[in-house]
Amino acid sequence: MEAPHSPAADVTAVLTVHSPDLMQEFGRRLAKLLRPGDLVMLTGELGAGKTTLTRGLGEGLGVRGAVTSPTFVIARVHPPLTGGPALVHVDAYRLGGGLDEMEDLDLDVSLPDSVVVVEWGEGKVEELSDDRLHVVIHRAVGDADDDVRRVTVSGIGARWAGEDLAALGA
Ligand SMILES: Nc1ncnc2c1ncn2[C@@H]1O[C@H](COP(=O)(O)OP(=O)(O)OP(=O)(O)O)[C@@H](O)[C@H]1O
Ligand SMILES: [Mg+2]
């Protein structure tokens, strides 16, 4: 007999990314799955490649402005060039208080109409949405090539239940 599906089970893809260019390319592919209102959380140590991935997301979504590390701002809005969703790129590293502070940022954008991508958001922005895509980037420890990254993509919530994330790794 087939095991019953656990509603809590994540849909997960695991892939190996060998260069910054390929990380950006992965971002462009991932962007094709994203819709207005989606929350993407990026986890990984300093220099893991979170912003590099977001750059590819911005290209794939077709938004205005270069995606960079927002050193002095916590969030940057990239408006759509082609009628798709805006990209809201958040660096929550210095965001102490979590969501309240995020709302105080008074971003001139509607989050339900945007794709929100958050670096360093664990424990801070989960309440933004019941559903989220969680991307974890690790340097491949022990790998001779310092550019190799292991990427795990997990879809959390009903939004992601029907998406074929495994195809991302193909
Ligand atoms: N496979 C790879 N994928 C992504 N970046 C890579 C890869 N290999 C090497 N790099 C390099 O690692 C660095 C990643 O920087 P990036 O700003 O994207 O990291 P980050 O996770 O956003 O860091 P921070 O936590 O400081 O915001 C870049 O210098 C990039 O060229
Ligand atoms: Mg970054």
Side-chain angles (χ1 to χ4, degrees):
M1 214 175 95
E2 212 178 304
H5 282 288
S6 155
D10 295 350
V11 189
T12 301
V14 182
L15 52 158
T16 304
V17 179
H18 291 271
S19 72
D21 280 355
L22 288 171
M23 185 64 84
Q24 222 166 307
E25 204 268 324
F26 169 61
R28 289 195 294 271
R29 264 192 296 143
L30 186 59
K32 294 196 177 79
L33 293 183
L34 297 176
R35 294 193 220 132
D38 281 345
L39 172 64
V40 181
M41 285 183 51
L42 304 182
T43 299
E45 63 267 51
L46 288 166
K50 302 180 293 294
T51 300
T52 304
L53 171 59
T54 307
R55 197 165 293 138
L57 287 174
E59 289 171 358
L61 292 170
V63 297
R64 176 148 50 85
V67 171
T68 57
S69 296
T71 308
F72 298 108
V73 292
I74 285 171
R76 188 170 283 146
V77 178
H78 298 271
L81 288 169
T82 55
L87 170 65
V88 179
H89 179 204
V90 181
D91 189 331
Y93 196 76
R94 281 169 301 276
L95 197 69
L99 193 61
D100 293 346
E101 231 178 292
M102 168 102 185
E103 280 168 351
D104 288 347
L105 295 176
D106 204 13
L107 299 173
D108 190 18
V109 70
S110 149
L111 295 183
D113 292 337
S114 307
V115 167
V116 181
V117 176
V118 186
E119 301 186 32
W120 299 107
E122 298 74 38
K124 297 176 180 174
V125 300
E126 284 87 350
E127 339 157 33
L128 272 178
S129 169
D130 288 340
D131 307 298
R132 61 189 181 274
L133 199 63
H134 194 177
V135 181
V136 181
I137 308 174
H138 281 303
R139 284 169 190 269
V141 179
D143 206 298
D145 186 348
D146 194 40
D147 284 357
V148 178
R149 302 289 190 268
R150 294 280 141 70
V151 180
T152 306
V153 187
S154 307
I156 297 155
R159 156 71 180 93
W160 294 103
E163 293 282 358
D164 185 15
L165 293 180
L168 286 169

